[in-house]
């Protein structure tokens, strides 16, 4: 029924006032009313006319220049009325009125400049959002046999992307996921994250061996950074219920199985990408209902009053319910509450769930993994 009601439309070229303009208009009118009340209480002599010049400046803090002009004209008219009632102002009253007019013009110019800057910021934020979608694309909700959800939690309110990265791809060699963390912050970190993801999106489809994918990414990082820059990363592959993990200096993923949380530490320690890591794969056999949490070190470093967020202790209660997206939402809420809304570093999260073998053809375990699942 609501959609059947005819709604009034604005004339062409007109638009409703924004909340900021309404706030500026309300504050300016309040100041105008206060100064007018003081003048009336003071008697017929106009002693406070000059204060009307502050009215358009107050409006300029929030409102568009059109609103500033309207407020300024109103302040000028009210000032002229008080000068006329006084009758003895002479040149002083004229100077005050001219001052209000000049203040209105200056305030309108200030409002115009402020609005242009605000529009430029909005445009930059829009471009940043487009760049974020290009670099850090949404993943899931289903990739191959896995339910997948990803989440990026920025430590900076002004930025939605930094040096943390993730991607999930359904390749001829199974579902492959990467999560990584670039050393450093700012645009350089974003640039390197985009290089790693661009390389990964290519080599993940080309290399049968997950260790070869890591080697290719290492060369891509080494070509693009200085001697002290690097990228920690964990590469995960699910093929026919077999989980293979290659870890290059990254926090160990957490396996959630039947109420337990099991850190999947690497088979052997390896340095980050950029330092020519010699990696050894860890292989696990997945069970239906298993969930796997991949995260960057911002989660491990989140703390309040020196106490770190108990990720492993709370992982099952937070991540073991609902969909994988519900689980990440619960984890983010608990984390933000723990740190009282103040994070020291960005955090990337990926949560996977293995539902079990599908009805399609069985994908054989790769030759280099034979015998590893039981070791």
């Amino acid at each position: 029924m609501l959609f059947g009601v005819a709604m009034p439309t604005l004339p062409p070229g007109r638009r409703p006032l924004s909340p900021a303009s309404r706030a500026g208009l309300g504050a300016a009118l309040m100041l105008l009313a206060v100064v007018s009340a003081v003048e009336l209480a003071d008697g017929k002599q106009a002693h406070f006319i000059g204060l009307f010049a502050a009215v358009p400046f107050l409006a300029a803090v929030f409102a568009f220049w059109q609103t500033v002009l309207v407020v300024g004209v109103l302040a000028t008219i009210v000032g002229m009325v008080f000068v006329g009632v006084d009758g003895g102002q002479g040149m002083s009253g004229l100077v005050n009125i001219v001052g209000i007019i000049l203040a209105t013009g200056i305030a309108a110019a200030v409002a115009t400049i402020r609005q242009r800057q605000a529009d430029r910021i909005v445009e930059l934020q829009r471009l940043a959002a487009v760049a974020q979608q290009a670099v850090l694309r949404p993943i899931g909700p289903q990739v191959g046999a896995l339910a997948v959800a990803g989440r990026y939690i920025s430590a900076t309110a002004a930025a939605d992307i930094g040096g943390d990265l993730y991607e999930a791809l359904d390749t001829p060699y199974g579902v492959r996921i990467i999560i990584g963390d670039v050393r450093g912050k700012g645009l350089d970190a974003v640039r390197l994250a985009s290089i790693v993801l661009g390389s990964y999106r290519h080599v993940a489809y080309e290399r049968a061996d997950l260790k070869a994918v890591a080697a290719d990414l290492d060369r891509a990082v080494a070509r693009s950074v200085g001697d002290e820059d690097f990228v920690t990363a964990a590469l995960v592959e699910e093929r026919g219920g077999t989980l293979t993990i290659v870890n290059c200096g990254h926090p160990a993923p957490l396996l959630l199985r039947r109420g337990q949380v099991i850190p999947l530490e690497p088979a052997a320690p390896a340095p980050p990408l950029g330092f020519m890591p010699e990696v050894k794969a860890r292989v696990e056999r997945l069970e239906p209902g298993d969930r796997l949490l991949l995260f960057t070190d911002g989660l491990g470093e989140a703390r309040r009053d020196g106490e770190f967020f108990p990720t492993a202790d709370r992982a099952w209660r937070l991540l073991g319910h609902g969909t994988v997206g519900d689980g990440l939402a619960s984890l983010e809420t608990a984390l933000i509450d723990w740190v009282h809304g103040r994070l020291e570093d960005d955090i990337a999260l990926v949560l996977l769930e293995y539902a079990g073998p599908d009805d399609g053809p069985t994908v054989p375990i790769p030759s280099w993994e034979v015998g590893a699942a039981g070791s």
Side-chain angles (χ1 to χ4, degrees):
M1 294 299 294
L2 178 62
F3 295 101
V5 178
M7 301 298 291
T9 58
L10 294 171
R14 296 187 62 185
R15 57 181 177 177
L17 291 177
S18 66
S21 289
R22 289 197 295 269
L25 179 60
L29 292 178
M30 182 175 295
L31 178 60
L32 181 63
V34 169
V35 176
S36 299
V38 171
E39 282 287 5
L40 290 173
D42 192 49
K44 291 185 177 182
Q45 291 185 339
H47 293 139
F48 306 100
I49 300 300
L51 293 179
F52 285 121
V55 173
F57 279 114
L58 181 58
V61 174
F62 303 101
F64 294 114
W65 66 269
Q66 297 96 328
T67 304
V68 175
L69 286 180
V70 171
V71 170
V73 169
L74 182 59
T76 302
I77 293 173
V78 174
M80 293 174 64
V81 169
F82 279 111
V83 169
V85 171
D86 187 345
Q89 286 282 320
M91 183 59 67
S92 175
L94 179 61
V95 169
N96 282 328
I97 296 301
V98 171
I100 299 173
I101 295 173
L102 289 176
T104 299
I106 295 172
V110 170
T112 300
I113 296 172
R114 179 191 54 77
Q115 187 58 42
R116 287 177 179 173
Q117 292 176 339
D119 292 341
R120 184 175 302 176
I121 292 173
V122 170
E123 179 65 15
L124 290 175
Q125 290 175 336
R126 187 187 68 82
L127 293 175
V130 173
Q132 178 186 11
Q133 292 177 357
V135 174
L136 204 63
R137 301 182 304 198
I139 60 174
Q142 191 76 25
V143 182
L146 300 177
V148 182
R151 211 170 189 90
Y152 194 100
I153 308 173
S154 176
T156 306
D160 291 329
I161 187 171
D164 292 12
L165 57 98
Y166 56 75
E167 180 62 288
L169 302 173
D170 190 5
T171 75
Y173 310 105
V175 178
R176 286 179 165 176
I177 302 100
I178 185 174
I179 189 164
D181 188 358
V182 176
R183 177 186 180 273
K185 299 181 181 296
L187 293 178
D188 288 340
V190 175
R191 179 186 64 84
L192 184 52
S194 68
I195 291 173
V196 173
L197 285 174
S199 299
Y200 175 74
R201 288 163 183 159
H202 173 70
V203 299
Y205 289 95
E206 302 296 327
R207 301 294 190 186
D209 190 338
L210 199 60
K211 291 182 286 187
V213 174
D216 285 346
L217 294 180
D218 174 70
R219 287 190 289 270
V221 171
R223 288 193 299 265
S224 306
V225 301
D227 295 336
E228 298 182 356
D229 295 323
F230 57 84
V231 179
T232 68
L235 303 174
V236 176
E237 176 186 283
E238 184 278 324
R239 185 191 300 204
T242 297
L243 184 72
T244 305
I245 303 173
V246 169
N247 196 318
C248 302
H250 199 76
L254 298 180
L255 175 64
L256 284 70
R257 173 177 291 170
R258 298 193 299 270
Q260 295 183 329
V261 179
I262 308 167
L264 299 182
E265 299 292 345
L273 300 175
F275 290 153
M276 295 183 294
E278 292 290 337
V279 296
K280 184 177 180 181
R282 172 165 181 165
V283 181
E284 297 285 337
R285 193 67 186 174
L286 291 175
E287 299 178 4
D290 281 354
R291 289 190 173 187
L292 187 70
L293 175 66
L294 310 174
F295 57 93
T296 54
D297 59 5
L299 178 61
E301 295 172 357
R303 59 186 179 271
R304 67 178 182 194
D305 302 328
E307 186 178 0
F308 291 96
F309 181 74
T311 303
D313 293 339
R314 303 181 65 179
W316 179 260
R317 295 196 302 273
L318 294 171
L319 301 172
H321 67 91
T323 65
V324 287
D326 295 334
L328 288 188
S330 296
L331 176 59
E332 180 180 3
T333 300
L335 177 66
I336 297 301
D337 180 67
W338 179 272
V339 299
H340 303 302
R342 299 181 61 181
L343 289 170
E344 298 296 329
D345 194 7
D346 293 355
I347 301 172
L349 303 169
V350 177
L351 185 61
L352 321 172
E353 181 177 9
Y354 176 67
D358 55 23
D359 296 329
T362 301
V363 182
I365 297 176
S367 59
W368 66 88
E369 294 175 356
V370 172
S375 61

